[in-house]
Structures are given as C-alpha cells and as structure tokens.
C-alpha cells in the first residue's frame, strides 16, 4: 500500500455539493413521472374519539379526483411493526396505518385523497364529511396514569411498559450517604423538524406487478420488507429508492402510516402517486420526542464522590408505540449516569400512552434528557457541598483504566438491551475543553451582575452511543473503464455520507477518489442492509467497505497471479493497477470482478466529550444571551474533519433550539397549538452565533477495523444540562434553579419572580 | 397547503379597484405585498375566491415628506422605508421600527397598506401609527375619508376598513426638532412578532419639563394602544430614572393584557413595563436634531 | 383547471408558462418550468427555502402567485453558476462546508447573492441579520456565515455581481 491514509483525515470538499449547490439535487418532491397523481391525507382534527362517519361522496365527485381511500377501501388494516427495542407488552399499542374505528391523536390519518393536482386533492379533502364522537382527551401522562380513559379498550392500562435500571445497591448507598438531594425535572415535547418534510413517490407497474417507492431513507431494507408484507407482495417485487434527503435526525425514514398508504394508493389507482407532506401535517404527524418527567435523587460523600442516583422517570409516549419501540425510555434510564462513575443506581421508567402525536427517536434520544437531569443534579450537589463544578466532575468521570465499563443493567431483559462504554480519556478531553473555553478566566464572572445582566458559566460531559444495528453490507465491482463501484446499505440523510464513504473506499483500495463511484441506500444495491441510525453509517458502512476492499484486493492478487504466472503475495494493488514487478495491468482488465462483504458488530461505540457555556441573563425580559459555547469531543478516528465539524456545530444549535426555543404545545383537549414554523420556533442565524467545537481522534475505537466512533449527536446531548447550569450559576444570588425545559424568557422571568418571593422566606435544602 | 381556487384581477385605477370590491363583496380581498395574506390563504384560514392586486394602481407607492409631515402610500414597501434617506430625520421612529419587521425578503414585498389592513396587534407599523397619532386615508365608493389610527384598529385582525374600501396612505404628523424618542421590542427570535413592544417620544419645555409625552404599546392587547396613565405621569415632570420607572409601572397597570402560547399575561405586563422604562431611558439619551 | 400563459424571464431566458391563477410562483417554477432547485419547506413564508430573486430583490416565491410575477425577471439557484462554473458564492459554500443536506441551500444562496450585490461590504452582523430569514436545520449557520464572508470580495470587485 503506497497511498494509505491520503483521504481519511482530510477535509475533502463534498462530492454531494456539486449537485446541491447547483440546485441540481433530486429530492422526492422533485420527481414527476408521467401520469402522476397527487395524494393528500385527511387527518383527525380530534384528539380522541370514535369515528361515526366518513362521507366521501362529495369529495369523490369533484372533478379531477381519482380515488378516496379510507379504512373501508383497505379492508384488513395493517398494523405497523416495531423495528427495534420492542417488548411483548407494547404490542397491543402499535399503530394501524389508518384510523378506522377510533382516532387517538390530532393528525392521525383518516382518509387519502388521490387527484390530478395537489390543490384539487386538498379541495376534495375539505369536502369529506368526517364525524367523530369525542371521547375524553388523555392529554397528559398524569391523566393517562389514572387509567380512567383507556386509549385501547382491549387493554387494561395506558401504561405501555416499564424499565428498571440497576447497578450496585442503591438503597444501601442512600441509607448511608453523607449528602443527598431530591429534585423534579422535566423535558418538554419537541421534534427533529428537518427542513425537507417527508414525501414518497410510489410507482406501481400493473403489468410487471412491481412497486418502486422513492423517498426512502434511514432503514430502507426493513421498510421494504414491511411494505411488501402489508401489500402481500414478495420483497423482490418491491424496491425502495433513496434520493437526496433534506435531513433526518432520527425521525425521518421510520415506517410511518404513509409508507403503506401511498404505495397502497398507487396500486389502488394502478399508477404513480406522490405525496409530499406539508409543514403543518409534518408537525402533527412525524414523530415527536423528548417529553418526560423525572423525580430523581443524588447521593455523594461530603468530598463530592458520587455514590448513587435513584428515582423514577415518567414518559409521555403519545398515542401509539411506533417503530422505535422503547428506545428512548430505555436510553434515558440507562444513560442517567453518562460518563460518570456512579456505583449505585436504581431508576424506574414508566411509559404512558397519551392522545397526542406518537413519539420516537430524535438525535441523542433519551441521552439529551438524561444529561439534563444528571448535569443539573451534579451542579446542585457541587454547589451545596461548596465544590467547583468542574472539579466535581473531574473527580467523578470514569477513569480510563476502568473502561470498558457496563452501564446500569436493564433488569429482567436479555443482553441485547445491555451495553458498556468502550474506551476513552474522559478527563483529558474535559480538561482540554476547560482550557479552550478559558474556564479559569471566565470563573471570575460567575454570578456577577454586569450592565444589568447576570453572567454564569457551566460545564458538562456526555457519552454518545454509535454503531447500532447488527451489520452492514458493502459490494465492490470493477467497471469496464476501471472505476470501482462501491454499494453500501448505509443511507444518507444530508450528513455527507457519499464523500465520507468514498474517502474510506479510496484509501482502502489506494486509488484516486475520482475513480470511486459510491452508491448507497437503495434496496437494489446490496442483498442486505441496515441503514443510518444511532450514529452508525460511517462506522458500519465504512467497516463493511474495508472488508470488501480487502476481499477485492485478494481477488485481484489471485487473478493477477494467474495472469502474470506468479504467487498472489508477489502481486500488489494500487492506483487502479495490479502490479507484478515492473509489469502492471489496469483495473479495466479485471472488469466484472465483484465482492460483497458484511461487517457484523454487536458492540457499540461511545464517543464522548465536554461542553462549556457562558451566558448572560437579562432579569427584565428573561432573555438569555449565549456569549460562548465550546465543545471538545473524541470520536476515535476522524474521517473528514470538515464534515464532522459541521455535524458538531449543527448539533449544538439543535440542542440550543431544544433548550430555549422549540416546544410542541398542546391544550387540555389534546389540540396541537404549534402547527406552523411561526409558532414552532427553530433556531435562526442570529440566535446563537457564538459556538465553537474541536474534535479529536484521541482513542481509536477497539471494536471496529476503522477505529471510528459514531459522531454527530454528541454536540446536542449535553446542551440542556449545561445551559440550565449556566443560568443557575448566573442567578445563584437569587437561588434560581431551572428544572423544566424549555428555558424560554417567560420561564426564566417566572423563576426569578418566584425566587425573589421565596427568598424572603428561605426553605431548607434536603441535606443530611 | 395549496391555495383554494382563486381569480386574480388587476385593476388599473383606484376607482376600478373599488368598483371590483363593490361587485364581488365578501368573495374578494385586496392584494398588496401579500406577505400576511398569502400565509392565511395557504392555511386556508382566509376565505376569498378573488384577489384584487393593487400593483397597477398608480400613485400608491410614494413616500412624501412635507412640512405637514410624512405620508406613506399604501403600496410603499418596508424596503422603501429602509432606503429612504429623509426618514431618519423626519420620522426617526419609523426607521427604527422597520428594522424589527419580519425579515429581509419579506421586507422586499411587505407594504404599509397590507400591514395596516391585516391589523395584527403585535405588528410594528400599526403601533407606530397609533403612538404617533397618525391618520389613515381611505378611499371608498362614496369618496375619501380619513381616520385616526387609534380608531382604525378594533380587534386582532379586525379593522374599521369596510369591505369596499381601499387604504390610500398613512399620514404621520410633523416631527419637531429636539424631540426625544425610544423604541424597544422584545420577540422570541429576530423578526418574530413582538411579545411586547414600547414606542415613546416626548418634547421638553424651556425648563426641561416633559411635554406632549406619547407612549405606545404593542404585542400586548387586542390592538396597539397608548398608555395614557404613563403619559399623564410624565407630563410636566423632569426626565429621570425614577420618574421613568414609576411611569412604566403605572402605565401597564390597567392594560387588558392578552396571553398566548408564547407568554402569559403576567409576564407580558411585566415585560411591557421593562420595555417602556428602557424606551424612556433610551429617549432621554436620544434626541433628534 | 383553467390556465393562462404568463411570460417571464428565468435565468436570462424568456419563458411562457401556463399557470392557473392559484399556483404559487414556487410551484410554477418547480412543476411548470421544472426548475426544482427552488425548494418548498413551509409554504407560509417562514423558512426561506423558496427564496428567489425577482427584478433584483430576494423574495419568497411561496408568498406570491405565479401570475403576480408576469413580466418580471427571475433568478433561481440554477441561474447562479456561469456556464457550468460555480459562482464565487457557490464555490465558497463548498470550500467552507456550508452545505449539509442541501435543502435550505438554494434559498440561502439566492438571498445572500441578492444581499451582496446590494451590499458587498455587509459585515458579519448584517449577514447574520439577513440570514436569520432562512432556516437551516443542519449546520448551525457558522460555516454558512464564513462562506458568505469570504465570497464578499468577489462582489466588491464587481466580478460576481
């Protein structure tokens, strides 16, 4: 190998940008085959009720309408399966692809209108007479827990499942603890909200009895098998095609009701049907996330050594258990300890169904929430004990020599639910972050009132799971002109995957990247694949590419040896040539050579790092200005530093949006109040200009040949806790403690008013 | 979110526009910049089947500055206000307020008449019109009339404009020299509608006592309004931090503050007091030449 | 549905488009002119993905009927490159990794192009102020601002205007 590592580690310009910057990308809404019909979905305007009538006659008779599809036209209504982290008790709560008898959230599909133009389909949808007998809304997890109104009458409870995270002996630890503090926290409902809404184009060929669905992403192979089964087709009759995708962040690409309804509609009308979600339906139909309520207690020694955490977390799941099953509820209890050495843990999680949009994974699922709870508790404890919050954390980070270390056991569950942190120099990275941030300098500002604003700083740490999903496949084929086509099951969601995987393939074959043609995502490319979730595509797809490249080189050596009449180990492969001594042959001579390899992995990667923040709080308005935000993380091995940097910065701002701005609000009737981007506030360029990130390849991952760890979520995970702590530090003189997200100006202002009122009548902390 | 079926008409004169309004009644709406109307149509919240675009109606797009004040034609865009070099002197609050209106691309199309007709209680221009005692010139089938801005805004998104009338212009009274002024707005993000906003200006007599104080508030009640009690409080007093604080506190006490998903009324009232106070402090430091 | 022809100049070429009066300019560009680089992210004027340049000014093409654009000169993202070569702004976006998913990118490019033609000396605060009308969910905006800052030079020289 003469050119190894020429591409990996280099901030290569992205291949994707050539088309995306020219406006020549192909997103699903750009596809317009001949004879295209448009689908519009009528959604329930009622949170919880029984459908009395769906009158479709007027809609059907509107000129241009091809069909109106309701549960009656579908017949036996398929139920969406759970893809991961399912449990038997969750099965009764899965979502039918269309509401037939009952509706359980505002936004649940009730009918599909197919017409010659989208505007006509919308006109027709307005003509559908939908009559629903309202049932009491189950708008909060507290109402759900009473079980007076059941969302599913065939069950006995709205409690879908429970989890128990256990380590050591928490009761004993708390019984003997020198210090403990109990607190309630909450994280609010918000969502991924990528800039491109969802969309699908389903093309049914009646002659060939074949279905091609474009717009797939994340997990096309799983989704292909599901839709094939629901349509009673063989998987070989269905292909899912990935086109350019406008962001995913965990929410896009799961199997949603529309992933059945649109292909079904295409077959029903015998042609091509496209559906592009509008922003309002996006906000009520795509997975929501994060809403949960924690009641937790921390225990430590007087010197600040953590000894335990215990308590319960109540989770508002929304109306159905969707494809992500219980990933988030599992994660939040498992990751409360984060990168900290907490020897005794007992946390229970209760997941309730409510009559609101179902929830699923969003970037850092469960981990953002867990980090908020944990980091807030740590700062409260550090402050009570009079220890600097940075020192407190350095003391409690898991030392490198104690890694790998299992996280809390998920009691009563098999090993697929368990995990362990792999490796890392947690303290080294945190010290680097403090230094880059200027912690010692900025500490002087802690709690100071300067020009009418209170200043505060905080630090926190995270671990980020990566490389989930058992395997990924990669296939390499030498084409006639000598280029190498590399096909992988990993999918792109806008993260620059084509560039990153091309870099890995080019290095693995020691050839110029221009001669690599990388294809990904579609079910037509490889025999089996998984996709992109859980920060896995670089690690899993990249590792599969390494294995395939190894196999291709071995194959070329064999073929070269027989051609040159030598031994395979006398043959070398690089730059698109096969060499033996002074003789060489171009790859094109070996056109048609092909290998497919699978990378299997049962161990997750854990990148990790630290966040620091400096805020100024205006007590008159409740506004918090972010003066500085600094992260340092270790991702094991960096493939493309520029794309990684973009991932980190983008994640930080998403985390800041989660913490300050974004909030899916419901009223007591289960009506969504934030159905537009004027009400659901995404961060803009003027909100958080002062953010910085440094990524390191400090400790390569031992669990994959690439040495890389999943990255891209860590920039988000610690934001809530760090910002909460920085605000608490700024307002320390008033004993303000943010416990509930989002930290909107009215919320901060209210906390200050409450603190002012109760400071006249100070309450003792629960301290022993 | 596609628009409902629409007919699109382009009258060539004000009379023709009014005649079309007469003819089509409630089915028709005037279209100016469309930056508020189009989102309503996209959500199918506005019900109309005919749009009457004013773009070919002559004479509505001028900014006129005379010794009688500033007149903004109803089709004057935010962009035109931003780029007019006269306005920072002759109506400085307008130049300050326009920076807070929506975003760059919206300001390239949004218009004076559109904003007034939309009548959002959190919008800047209606608030400025009320605070400054501006008048709105309106044309209808029976000729022209003129209405003080304070009487124009009735409820959120409801104005005194009749369905067969067209806003012609907005007239601001003259702006004297040595007037003190301040503008404070607080929104969730830049360009968002105000959670609350305060517009203040006052003059001072030869003894440095405040005369003709004007304090406007927006984003707070059903319409933009003037805080009469705060004005009374200031009148005849010398400018100073204590009097400003007290005026702000008094001024917001009896306002009927509305709540929405972004903030409850307690917060909004307190926020308004903060902003009025800050605008007064700002005014004390900022006097027009 | 009844359609009527409008004539517009798109990226320098005169075109006649058959559009019904209820169609937005965004949909007309995408579905009738088949220039799909202009993206539709919210259809209510907030996200900015659909921004195009009409007679020199950046505007939301989702907040305009196509018939309102009759007779105007429109520049879309497809019209920014010169004979297949990226403009200085596009090249700077690539260099600075200012793109992730690329969905918001066309609206940001058109907005920033219109801004820098008018204000080639816009500072970071002004660039962020104008950029705040375009939502990007992926990047956190830092690399976009860097890319725009660097591209200013070619506008002040007049070569990109």
């Amino acid at each position: 190998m003469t050119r190894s590592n020429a591409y990996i580690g280099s901030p290569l310009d992205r291949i994707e940008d050539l088309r995306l910057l020219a406006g020549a990308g192909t997103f699903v809404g750009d596809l317009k085959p001949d004879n295209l019909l448009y689908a519009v979905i009528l959604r329930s305007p009622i949170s919880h009720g029984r459908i009395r009538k769906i009158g479709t006659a007027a809609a059907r008779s509107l000129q241009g309408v091809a069909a109106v599809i309701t549960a009656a036209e579908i017949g036996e209504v398929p139920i969406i399966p759970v893809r991961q982290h399912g449990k038997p008790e969750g099965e009764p709560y899965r979502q039918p692809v269309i509401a037939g008898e009952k509706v359980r959230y505002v936004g649940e599909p009730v009918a599909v209108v197919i017409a010659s133009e989208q505007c006509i389909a919308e006109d027709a949808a307005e003509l559908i007479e939908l009559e629903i007998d309202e049932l009491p809304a189950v708008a909060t997890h507290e109402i759900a827990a009473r079980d007076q109104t059941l969302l599913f009458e065939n069950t006995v409870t709205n409690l879908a499942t429970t989890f128990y995270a256990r380590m050591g002996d928490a009761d004993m630890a708390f019984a003997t603890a020198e210090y403990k503090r109990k607190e309630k926290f909450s994280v609010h409902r918000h969502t991924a909200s990528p800039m491109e809404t969802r969309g699908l184009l389903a093309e049914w060929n009646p002659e060939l009895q074949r279905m091609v669905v474009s717009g797939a992403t994340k997990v096309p192979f799983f989704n292909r098998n599901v839709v094939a089964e629901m349509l009673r087709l063989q998987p070989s009759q269905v292909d899912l095609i990935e086109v350019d995708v406008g962001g995913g962040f965990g929410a896009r690409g799961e199997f949603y009701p529309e992933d059945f309804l649109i292909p079904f509609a295409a077959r029903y009308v015998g042609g091509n049907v496209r559906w592009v979600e509008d922003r309002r339906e996006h906000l009520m139909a795509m997975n929501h996330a994060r809403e949960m309520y924690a009641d937790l207690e921390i225990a430590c020694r007087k010197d600040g050594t953590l000894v335990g955490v215990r308590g319960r977390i109540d989770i508002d799941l929304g109306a159905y258990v969707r494809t992500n099953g219980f990933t988030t509820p599992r994660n939040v209890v498992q990751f409360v300890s984060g990168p900290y050495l907490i020897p005794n843990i007992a946390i229970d999680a209760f997941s309730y169904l409510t009559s609101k949009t179902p929830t699923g994974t969003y970037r850092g699922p469960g981990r953002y929430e867990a980090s908020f709870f944990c980091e807030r508790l740590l700062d409260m404890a550090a402050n009570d004990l009079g220890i600097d919050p940075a020192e407190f954390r350095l003391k409690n980070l898991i030392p490198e020599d104690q890694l790998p270390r299992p996280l809390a056991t998920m009691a009563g569950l098999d090993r697929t639910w368990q995990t362990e942190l792999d490796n890392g120099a947690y303290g080294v990275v945190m010290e680097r972050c403090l230094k880059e941030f200027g912690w010692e300098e900025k500490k002087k500002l802690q709690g100071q009132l300067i020009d009418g604003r209170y200043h505060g700083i905080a630090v926190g740490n995270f671990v980020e799971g990566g490389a989930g999903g058992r395997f990924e496949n990669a296939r390499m084929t030498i084409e006639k002109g000598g280029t190498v086509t590399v096909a992988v099951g990993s999918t792109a969601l806008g993260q620059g995957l084509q560039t990153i995987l091309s870099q890995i393939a080019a290095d693995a074959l020691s050839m110029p990247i221009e001669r690599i043609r990388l294809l990904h995502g579609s079910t037509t490319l490889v025999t089996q694949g998984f996709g992109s979730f859980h920060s896995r595509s670089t690690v899993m797809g990249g590792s599969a590419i390494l294995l395939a490249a190894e196999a291709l080189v071995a194959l070329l050596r064999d073929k070269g040896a027989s051609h040159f009449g030598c031994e395979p180990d006398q043959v070398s492969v690089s730059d698109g040539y096969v060499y033996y001594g002074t003789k060489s042959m171009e790859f094109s001579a070996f056109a048609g050579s092909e290998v497919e390899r699978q990378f299997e992995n049962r161990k997750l990667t854990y990148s990790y790092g630290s966040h620091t923040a400096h805020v100024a709080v205006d007590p008159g308005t409740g506004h918090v200005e972010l003066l500085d935000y600094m992260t340092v993380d270790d991702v094991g091995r960096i493939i493309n530093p520029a794309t990684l940097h973009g991932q980190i910065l983008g994640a930080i701002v998403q985390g800041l949006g989660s913490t300050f701005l974004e909030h899916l609000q419901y009223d007591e009737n289960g009506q969504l109040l934030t159905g537009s981007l004027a009400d659901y506030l995404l961060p803009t360029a003027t909100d958080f200009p002062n953010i910085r990130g440094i990524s390191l390849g400090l400790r390569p991952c031992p669990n994959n040949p690439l040495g890389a760890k999943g990255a891209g979520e860590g920039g988000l995970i610690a934001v809530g806790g760090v910002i909460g702590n920085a605000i608490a530090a700024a307002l320390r003189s008033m004993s303000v403690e943010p416990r509930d997200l989002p930290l909107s100006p009215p919320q901060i202002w209210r906390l200050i008013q409450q603190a002012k009122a109760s400071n006249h009548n100070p309450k003792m902390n629960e301290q022993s | 979110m596609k628009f409902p079926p629409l007919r699109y008409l382009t009258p060539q004169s004000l009379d023709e526009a009014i005649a079309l309004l007469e003819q089509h009644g409630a089915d028709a709406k005037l279209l100016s910049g469309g930056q508020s109307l189009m989102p309503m149509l996209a959500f199918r919240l506005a019900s109309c089947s005919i749009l009457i675009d004013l773009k070919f109606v002559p004479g509505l797009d001028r900014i006129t500055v005379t010794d009688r004040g500033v007149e903004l034609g109803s089709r004057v865009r935010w962009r035109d206000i931003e780029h007019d070099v006269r306005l920072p002197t002759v109506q400085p609050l307008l130049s300050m307020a326009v920076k807070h209106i929506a975003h760059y691309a919206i300001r390239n199309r949004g218009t004076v008449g559109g904003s007034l007709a939309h009548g959002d209680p959190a919008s800047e221009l209606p608030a400025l019109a009320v605070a400054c005692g501006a008048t709105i010139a309106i044309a209808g089938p029976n000729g022209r009339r003129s209405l003080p801005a304070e009487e124009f805004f009735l409820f959120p998104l409801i104005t005194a404009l009749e369905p067969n009338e067209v806003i012609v212009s907005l007239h601001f009274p003259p702006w004297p020299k040595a007037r003190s002024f301040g503008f404070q707005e607080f929104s969730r993000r830049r360009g968002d509608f105000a959670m609350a906003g305060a517009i203040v200006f006052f003059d001072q007599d030869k003894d440095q006592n405040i005369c003709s104080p004007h304090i406007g508030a927006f984003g707070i009640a059903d319409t933009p309004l003037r805080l009469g009690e705060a004005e009374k409080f200031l009148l005849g007093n010398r400018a100073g931090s204590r009097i400003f604080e007290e005026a702000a506190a008094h001024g917001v006490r009896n306002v009927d503050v509305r709540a929405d998903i972004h903030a409850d009324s307690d917060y909004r009232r307190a926020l308004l007091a903060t902003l009025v106070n800050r605008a007064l402090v700002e005014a004390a430091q900022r006097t027009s030449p | 549905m009844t359609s009527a022809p409008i004539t517009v100049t798109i990226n320098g070429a005169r075109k006649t488009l058959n559009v019904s009066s209820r169609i937005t300019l965004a949909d007309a560009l995408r579905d009738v002119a088949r220039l799909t680089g202009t993206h539709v992210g919210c259809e209510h004027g907030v996200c900015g993905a659909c921004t195009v340049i009409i007679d020199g000014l950046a505007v939301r093409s989702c907040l305009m009927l196509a018939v309102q654009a009759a007779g105007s000169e429109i520049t879309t993202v497809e019209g920014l490159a010169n004979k297949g070569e990226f403009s200085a702004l596009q090249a700077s976006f690539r260099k600075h990794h200012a793109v992730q998913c690329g969905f918001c990118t066309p609206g940001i490019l058109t907005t920033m192009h219109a801004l820098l033609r008018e204000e080639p000396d816009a500072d970071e605060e002004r660039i962020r102020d104008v950029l705040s009308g375009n939502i990007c969910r992926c990047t956190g905006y830092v690399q976009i601002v860097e890319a725009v800052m660097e591209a200013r030079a070619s506008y002040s020289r007049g070569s990109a205007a």
Side-chain angles (χ1 to χ4, degrees), chain C residues 2-8 15-21 32 66-67 69-71:
Chain C
T2 55
S3 296
I6 58 163
T7 303
V8 286
K15 286 198 177 157
T16 301
L17 305 178
N18 268 313
V19 293
S20 71
S21 54
V32 185
V67 289

Side-chain angles (χ1 to χ4, degrees), chain B residues 1-8 31 35 38-39 42-44 51 53 55 77 79 83 103-106 108-109 190, chain C residues 21-22 24 27 42-45 57-60 62-65 67-68 111 114-115 118 125-126 129-130 132-133:
Chain B
M1 295 209 307
K2 303 301 178 193
F3 295 156
L6 288 171
R7 277 177 66 202
Y8 174 73
L31 173 61
Q35 304 300 285
M38 292 302 185
F43 282 104
R44 300 199 176 197
L51 288 180
D53 193 343
K55 76 170 175 181
R77 302 166 300 177
R79 175 192 172 75
H83 286 255
H103 295 281
Y104 182 71
I106 301 288
N108 282 337
R109 282 191 71 77
R190 190 171 304 183
Chain C
S21 54
R22 70 154 128 173
T24 62
D27 284 345
C42 76
E43 293 180 290
H44 51 275
L57 302 183
V59 303
R60 303 276 202 251
C62 78
L63 295 187
M64 241 184 116
L65 300 173
V67 289
Q68 284 180 279
T111 305
L115 172 71
E118 259 191 316
E125 163 56 26
R126 175 64 175 157
D129 178 44
V130 173
S132 73

